[in-house]
């Protein structure tokens, strides 16, 4: 008969690598929709750059914030693209893993823990976001929209920004019994306004005062502003840049904590 | 393998499992028989270390599921009531990815997946998607998946519910094979024939509590008679006839559509009834089953 000690030793590998097995699974599942990910990764930046960067830039020859409009808007385009995908990934795929697809329950029947399921899920998304942000960044370079060499730092910032939206939404989605329109509402009342009022197309200072708070609570504004300092050396006080980073990390960490709690609650109910 | 003492599970104020106790030995085939809502799945989830119990003592493989969940789960095979196969993957990939969760190497999962596809008679569907498989095939795939880690104990929650008779028999045959190989089986069902086919020992559960325990034969001996006579007089006449034949047999159950008369000689009872002038529309003498045991214990039938 196998002793408890033997069993514990057996379970050692999944105890250390469980998160990676989950990532492996998500990567394999991705084969089914990889063409979508690749196509949209290329099509999105191209569309944005042509429409906003080139089209709109011609209307604003004087530029903005002391740089050509394309340079000003480029970090915002990158950030809003990756953050929007982050918001999507935190909603439907999370609920689906419990409700329709039920794959989280299947994984939890094995030695893999709820924490490792969350971890593997996020690691897979990190890989995916890195790819999409990398392609986007490549287009920005191609269009001459990133003057500084430090511009690549926008890629990790965009991923951090994506997680700062994804994890709070994931914490919420994991507790939903069903989607009866909540996701569409979040899309319209949270994600869209954030996109419009986060100093994306014009500086936050030009947003009416009574709407400025939207920017301050918006991960998109913090990610975009931080991106601008690395992309073209936008001038802002050091404390403000530090605040951007702190806010993004805080959203991600607190969101991650609650997302983990939601997963534990649902999987051990 | 399992020692449960007075385990209970509450969802808020609702008591789903109300203090049940049982033991399961290595190599045994153990069944939880009860109607829908009895608390069978909840009990299985507590054993499988995926649902935290509210109270009581539970030991699975010498460990406590509330604290040593991952170690326990590493040794179990689980077939949940609802299939949760990965629809985004192919049949064989479902096995491979699942095996990885137990820390098996890529080579080991590939080899094991091929063996189990053979066992589950799904080799020719290896590259198929999951969605187009029949219910029976999905169930077999789920069983194959649960065997990836060569588990010490297999938990099957309603393995054949919703399948047609032919698919059920194929599945029973596969499970019988596992039983013969000495795999410890714990299964739940609300089909008495399934419980009789696959379990050495059964507990009858209803409303979160255990009503009786024993081998199918023991239970029938203890709670029912050797034979059962079923007579039908049409729904409006059943109860009036019942009054005038109340002394026939050892015991009777008056159901809306028929009267069940329990005794050791059904033919003799039928002759007696006919002699009294109550010719039934149809009659049937059969052996007692677990269905009768359940009816005796709860006054209700297993499948509504
Ligand atoms: N997650 C849950 N939340 C609330 N009640 C539940 C939950 N799961 C099961 N129940 C209730 O507990 C009882 C037992 O359910 P279950 O264990 O699934 O029964 P069985 O498997 O025997 O049909 C049922 O009344 C069911 O409605
Ligand atoms: Mg059930």
């Amino acid at each position: 008969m196998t002793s408890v000690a033997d069993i514990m030793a057996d379970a050692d590998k999944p105890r250390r690598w469980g998160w990676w097995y989950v990532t492996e699974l998500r990567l394999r599942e991705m084969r089914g929709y990889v063409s979508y990910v690749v196509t949209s990764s290329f099509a999105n930046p191209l569309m944005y750059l042509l429409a906003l960067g080139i089209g709109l830039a011609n209307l604003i020859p004087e530029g903005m914030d002391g740089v050509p409009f394309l340079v000003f808007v480029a970090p915002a385009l990158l950030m809003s693209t990756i953050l929007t995908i982050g918001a999507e990934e935190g909603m439907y795929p999370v609920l689906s893993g419990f409700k329709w697809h039920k794959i989280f329950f299947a994984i939890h029947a094995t030695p893999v823990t709820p924490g490792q399921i969350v971890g593997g899920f996020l690691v897979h998304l990190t890989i995916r976001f890195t790819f999409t942000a990398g392609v986007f960044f490549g287009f920005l370079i191609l269009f001459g929209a990133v003057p500084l060499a430090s511009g690549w730092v926008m890629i990790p910032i965009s991923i951090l920004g994506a997680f700062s939206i994804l994890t709070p939404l994931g914490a919420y989605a994991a507790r939903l019994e069903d989607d009866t329109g909540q996701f569409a509402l979040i899309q319209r009342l949270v994600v869209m306004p954030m996109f419009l009022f986060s100093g994306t197309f014009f500086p936050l200072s030009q947003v009416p005062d009574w709407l400025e708070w939207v920017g301050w609570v918006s991960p998109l504004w913090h990610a975009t502003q931080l991106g601008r300092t690395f992309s073209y050396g936008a001038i802002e006080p050091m404390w403000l840049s530090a605040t951007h980073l702190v806010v993004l990390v805080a959203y991600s960490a607190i969101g991650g904590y609650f997302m983990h709690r939601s997963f534990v609650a649902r999987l051990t109910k | 393998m399992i020692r449960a003492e007075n385990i209970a599970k509450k969802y808020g104020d609702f008591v789903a499992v109300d203090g049940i106790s049982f033991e399961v030995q290595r190599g045994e085939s153990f069944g939880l028989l009860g109607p829908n809502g009895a608390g069978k799945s909840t009990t299985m989830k507590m054993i499988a270390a995926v649902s935290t119990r509210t109270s009581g003592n539970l030991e699975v493989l010498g460990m406590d599921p509330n604290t040593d969940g991952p170690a326990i789960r590493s040794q179990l095979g689980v077939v949940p009531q609802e299939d949760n196969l990965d629809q985004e993957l192919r049949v064989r990939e479902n096995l491979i990815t699942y095996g990885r969760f137990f820390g098996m190497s890529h080579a080991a999962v590939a080899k094991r997946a091929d063996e189990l596809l053979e066992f589950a008679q799904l080799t020719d569907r290896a590259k198929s998607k999951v969605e187009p498989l029949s219910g029976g095939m999905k169930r077999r795939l789920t069983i194959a998946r649960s065997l990836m880690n060569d588990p010490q104990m297999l938990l099957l929650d309603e393995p054949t519910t919703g399948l047609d008779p032919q698919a059920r028999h194929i599945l029973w045959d596969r499970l019988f094979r596992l039983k013969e190989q000495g795999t410890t089986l714990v299964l739940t069902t609300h089909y008495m024939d399934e419980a009789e086919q696959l379990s050495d020992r059964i507990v009858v559960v209803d409303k979160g509590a255990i009503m009786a325990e024993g081998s199918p034969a023991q239970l029938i001996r203890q709670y029912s008679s050797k034979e059962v006579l079923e007579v039908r007089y049409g729904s409006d006449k059943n109860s009036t006839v019942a009054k005038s034949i109340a002394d026939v047999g050892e015991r009777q159950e008056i159901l809306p559509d028929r009267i069940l008369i329990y005794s050791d000689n059904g033919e003799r009872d039928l002759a007696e009834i006919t002699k009294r002038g109550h010719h039934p529309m149809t009659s049937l003498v059969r052996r007692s089953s677990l269905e009768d045991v359940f009816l005796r214990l709860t006054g209700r039938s297993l499948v509504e």
Side-chain angles (χ1 to χ4, degrees):
Chain A
M1 167 142 183
T2 330
S3 74
V4 169
D6 288 342
I7 293 175
M8 293 288 183
D10 255 19
D12 214 42
K13 232 179 134 195
R15 183 162 22 239
R16 260 177 288 146
W17 291 103
W19 62 272
W20 170 247
Y21 304 142
V22 176
T23 304
E24 237 180 55
L25 173 79
R26 300 305 278 199
L27 285 169
R28 199 186 267 267
E29 286 172 344
M30 207 171 130
R31 282 192 205 158
Y33 58 97
V34 70
S35 55
Y36 163 76
V37 172
V38 172
T39 314
S40 59
S41 294
F42 281 86
N44 263 340
L46 208 56
M47 258 165 25
Y48 275 137
L49 284 168
L50 291 177
L52 292 165
I54 316 284
L56 205 56
N58 285 337
L59 293 175
I60 313 169
E62 71 278 14
M64 211 168 275
D65 197 22
V67 289
F69 185 69
L70 179 63
V71 172
F72 170 79
V73 86
L77 295 179
L78 169 63
M79 298 301 164
S80 54
T81 300
I82 304 301
L83 268 67
T84 304
I85 303 174
E88 281 165 16
E89 292 295 324
M91 293 191 283
Y92 186 80
V94 171
L95 179 58
S96 171
F98 290 109
K99 190 174 164 61
W100 298 291
H101 197 180
K102 291 191 190 297
I103 193 69
F104 296 145
F105 290 110
I107 302 172
H108 190 235
T110 75
V112 176
T113 63
Q116 290 173 323
I117 296 175
V118 175
F121 185 80
L122 296 183
V123 171
H124 162 246
L125 287 174
T126 306
I127 295 169
R128 200 179 137 184
F129 295 159
T130 306
F131 172 77
T132 303
V135 171
F136 206 116
F137 182 71
F139 274 103
L140 293 182
I141 297 282
L142 214 64
F143 279 72
V146 186
L148 295 182
S150 60
W152 65 270
V153 180
M154 286 194 292
I155 296 173
I157 293 172
S158 72
I159 295 167
L160 180 62
F163 283 144
S164 67
I165 299 185
L166 189 155
T167 56
L169 285 179
Y172 170 72
R175 288 186 186 264
L176 278 184
E177 281 308 323
D178 202 353
D179 172 28
T180 48
Q182 292 94 328
F183 290 160
L185 211 61
I186 291 175
Q187 196 69 37
R188 267 173 232 150
L189 295 184
V190 181
V191 180
M192 257 325 261
M194 184 179 84
F195 187 75
L196 293 172
F197 302 111
S198 289
T200 319
F201 306 115
F202 40 82
L204 190 64
S205 53
Q206 291 180 22
V207 171
D209 283 352
W210 61 275
L211 267 178
E212 231 176 78
W213 64 270
V214 178
W216 278 92
V217 300
S218 156
L220 180 54
W221 181 65
H222 294 285
T224 300
Q225 289 309 106
L226 200 54
R228 282 181 174 137
T229 63
F230 287 98
S231 161
Y232 63 85
I235 295 160
E236 64 176 16
M238 194 61 198
W239 67 264
L240 188 54
S241 301
T243 306
H244 298 321
L245 191 61
V246 169
V247 169
L248 293 177
V249 170
Y251 267 116
S252 302
I254 296 169
Y257 170 79
F258 282 103
M259 188 168 167
H260 178 233
R261 274 186 46 157
S262 298
F263 270 62
V264 170
R266 186 124 187 202
L267 289 171
T268 63
K269 196 166 126 185
Chain B
M1 305 284 277
I2 305 177
R3 180 179 301 134
E5 271 174 37
N6 225 3
I7 57 172
K9 175 81 187 184
K10 287 184 193 164
Y11 293 110
D13 284 340
F14 180 79
V15 184
V17 174
D18 193 7
I20 66 175
S21 307
F22 59 89
E23 283 188 23
V24 178
Q25 306 299 327
R26 177 170 298 270
E28 201 181 10
S29 179
F30 178 80
L32 291 154
L33 175 70
N36 272 329
K40 303 182 298 295
S41 296
T42 307
T43 305
M44 288 296 247
K45 285 181 195 159
M46 289 191 280
I47 298 170
V50 295
S51 177
T52 314
R53 69 181 179 282
T54 313
S55 61
N57 290 321
L58 180 59
E59 246 183 44
V60 179
L61 303 164
M63 293 171 283
D64 181 343
N66 279 7
T67 51
D68 293 319
I72 291 173
R73 297 198 297 270
S74 75
Q75 305 298 315
L76 299 182
V78 178
V79 177
Q81 182 171 346
E82 282 176 82
D83 283 325
N84 54 19
L85 294 162
D86 195 326
Q87 311 272 350
E88 293 180 26
L89 299 180
R90 310 270 157 172
V91 166
R92 187 168 176 272
E93 287 180 312
N94 260 278
L95 300 181
I96 286 177
T97 51
Y98 200 77
R100 290 287 288 158
F101 293 136
F102 293 89
M104 296 166 71
S105 70
H106 287 286
V109 289
K111 182 160 168 287
R112 184 91 180 131
D114 291 333
E115 289 168 9
L116 287 170
L117 283 174
E118 200 66 45
F119 171 79
Q121 297 163 312
L122 287 169
T123 304
D124 54 334
R125 305 303 293 265
K127 290 202 164 65
S128 160
K129 290 198 165 181
V130 171
E131 187 49 34
L133 297 185
S134 71
M137 287 175 171
K138 282 182 189 160
R139 223 49 194 146
R140 265 153 37 213
L141 179 57
T142 306
I143 291 173
R145 192 182 69 171
S146 74
L147 294 170
M148 280 301 287
N149 61 325
D150 196 8
Q152 297 199 41
M153 178 161 66
L154 191 57
L155 307 179
L156 301 144
D157 196 355
E158 310 224 359
T160 67
T161 298
L163 301 185
D164 60 63
Q166 195 196 349
R168 293 180 76 196
H169 280 100
I170 298 177
L171 220 82
W172 283 350
D173 168 62
R174 296 293 100 180
L175 294 176
F176 215 81
R177 232 164 253 228
L178 292 173
K179 184 163 140 47
E180 280 176 343
Q181 290 165 13
T183 312
T184 308
L185 300 183
V186 178
L187 75 132
T188 77
T189 182
H190 63 257
Y191 296 125
M192 50 134 194
D193 49 347
E194 184 159 82
E196 271 173 0
Q197 288 266 341
L198 295 174
S199 341
D200 306 325
R201 199 157 56 82
I202 291 171
V203 292
V204 179
V205 286
D206 189 36
K207 296 181 180 151
I210 292 183
M211 311 296 291
E213 176 176 349
S215 71
Q218 276 170 352
L219 287 171
I220 290 169
R221 221 176 306 128
Q222 189 174 350
Y223 295 98
S224 194
S225 56
K226 197 163 137 244
E227 293 190 340
V228 188
L229 166 64
E230 296 193 7
V231 285
R232 292 170 197 257
Y233 291 94
S235 43
D236 39 339
K237 276 172 73 186
N238 268 346
S239 52
T240 44
V241 173
K243 282 193 197 95
S244 50
I245 59 170
D247 58 324
V248 180
E250 297 161 15
R251 200 170 54 80
Q252 301 186 346
E253 294 281 351
I254 325 286
L255 303 183
D257 62 332
R258 67 209 139 118
I259 302 170
L260 305 183
I261 298 168
Y262 293 91
S263 78
D264 54 5
N265 191 340
E267 293 296 346
R268 187 196 59 209
D269 297 341
L270 180 58
E272 171 65 26
I273 294 172
T274 320
K275 208 171 77 190
R276 295 185 191 183
H278 299 293
H279 291 276
M281 284 161 58
T282 62
S283 66
L284 164 75
V285 176
R286 58 169 176 82
R287 293 174 42 183
S288 269
S289 71
L290 287 171
E291 181 73 47
D292 299 299
V293 172
F294 189 80
L295 192 62
R296 169 77 185 274
L297 289 169
T298 66
R300 289 177 291 118
S301 54
L302 268 170
V303 190
E304 288 84 45

